[in-house]
Amino acid sequence: MQSTLVDEPAESEQNLAPGHDLREAIDHAAHFLPSQGPITVFVHHNTLHAFAHLGFDEGVRAGGRLFGCHAYLPEDDYRKELPCGRIRLQDLEAVLIDDLGDEADRLVASFGTRYVLRLAMVQFPLRSGLSDELRWVIAETDALRRFRAEVEPSVRKQMISETRRWMMCQYGGADRPRNEGADPVQQVLSSERFGVESIDSWSDRTWEAFVLNFLWRICGNGVRLVEAGAEV
């Protein structure tokens, strides 16, 4: 009997508190909500107390996953701040050196160091797309005709002049090189873009387009070699 009397108040308390589970769920959810409205100016106070035990980056990412939002701005928005000076190149360099440590000078194939590669990746967007999309971009834009505007003029000039010098030494005075098969020079020259005239008569604009097409072919052949090696 005593046991029954002890149990009865508990049952009556539950009966007297309809929606108890709902209030508990609301209280739990409220723990993850900010304690004030949207912040329009910088303040030192952390309004997301539920993530205060985490480091800054980890806490921001956890909040983004919970609320289904972008924890940070898109990368392109940050890149737009580089020309404005709000993000400085020396800041990127310092962060990368600190992040890579002893791996900064490690070579990536024969194209440069990890530091140089990572710096280029944060400065410029990495585009991706299906084969049809890539073919459309190549056909309808100047992607393989003109260097991008942010390429240093000295770099552009050096690439064109050195490629031109090499081509003239190899094929000067010949209408077309006799190499066949997977040779990237033959692949580029066989396209309609460069016509049938001798390379001796190419204009500067034609040489610029050739350099970009030549580089594109070399990169494509390299990717195929990597894929073939991975299958083995």
Side-chain angles (χ1 to χ4, degrees), residues 171-178 189 195-200 202:
Y171 308 111
D175 291 339
R176 283 290 181 266
R178 295 183 176 85
L189 293 178
V196 296
E197 70 275 12
S198 170
I199 61 176
D200 302 77
W202 282 0

Side-chain angles (χ1 to χ4, degrees), residues 4 8 10 52 55 76 95 103 114 120 128 130-132 148 156 167 169 174-175 193 195 227 232:
T4 303
E8 285 179 354
D76 284 345
V95 170
E103 291 290 308
R114 292 190 65 191
S128 62
L130 300 175
S131 298
D132 290 342
R148 292 169 60 95
R156 172 187 173 277
M167 283 290 294
C169 289
D175 291 339
R193 177 171 298 179
E227 292 175 347
V232 174

Side-chain angles (χ1 to χ4, degrees), residues 9-219:
E11 293 178 0
S12 62
E13 287 177 2
Q14 292 180 0
N15 293 333
L16 292 174
H20 172 76
D21 292 341
L22 178 60
R23 283 198 297 270
E24 183 178 354
I26 293 175
D27 291 340
H28 179 71
H31 177 64
F32 293 96
L33 297 176
S35 57
Q36 62 189 68
I39 299 173
T40 57
V41 295
F42 175 80
V43 294
H44 73 281
H45 182 63
N46 176 24
T47 61
L48 297 175
H49 299 287
F51 306 100
H53 64 289
L54 301 173
F56 178 81
D57 180 65
E58 187 181 359
V60 170
R61 293 179 183 276
R65 289 191 297 270
L66 178 66
F67 297 118
C69 63
H70 292 288
Y72 292 100
L73 294 173
E75 289 186 6
D76 284 345
D77 286 6
Y78 290 108
R79 289 192 181 94
K80 292 176 183 178
E81 301 301 334
L82 274 169
C84 302
R86 293 195 63 189
I87 297 178
R88 302 177 302 172
L89 183 60
Q90 51 264 46
D91 295 330
L92 295 179
E93 295 171 340
V95 170
L96 284 177
I97 290 175
D98 181 65
D99 182 56
L100 291 172
D102 295 337
E103 291 290 308
D105 293 329
R106 181 179 176 183
L107 290 176
V108 179
S110 59
F111 301 107
T113 63
R114 292 190 65 191
Y115 165 76
V116 172
L117 178 61
R118 287 278 299 275
L119 183 61
M121 290 171 65
V122 296
Q123 285 182 272
F124 308 107
L126 297 176
R127 305 298 185 188
S128 62
L130 300 175
S131 298
D132 290 342
E133 293 177 290
L134 290 175
R135 281 192 287 268
W136 184 92
V137 170
I138 291 173
E140 300 297 331
T141 71
D142 285 337
L144 294 185
R145 295 185 180 92
R146 302 289 174 265
F147 280 92
R148 292 169 60 95
E150 58 265 32
V151 176
E152 292 289 339
S154 59
V155 174
R156 172 187 173 277
K157 182 178 179 180
Q158 181 182 10
M159 291 189 67
I160 294 175
S161 62
E162 291 187 359
T163 303
R164 183 174 185 172
R165 186 182 303 112
W166 179 81
M167 283 290 294
M168 294 302 295
C169 289
Q170 296 293 321
Y171 308 111
D175 291 339
R176 283 290 181 266
R178 295 183 176 85
N179 304 63
E180 300 294 339
D183 177 59
V185 174
Q186 181 66 28
Q187 291 174 341
V188 174
L189 293 178
S190 62
S191 67
E192 297 179 358
R193 177 171 298 179
F194 298 97
V196 296
E197 70 275 12
S198 170
I199 61 176
D200 302 77
S201 61
W202 282 0
S203 66
D204 290 341
R205 294 176 69 87
T206 301
W207 276 110
E208 182 174 357
F210 174 80
V211 170
L212 293 173
N213 280 267
F214 190 24
L215 182 59
W216 175 256
R217 290 289 183 175
I218 291 175
C219 291

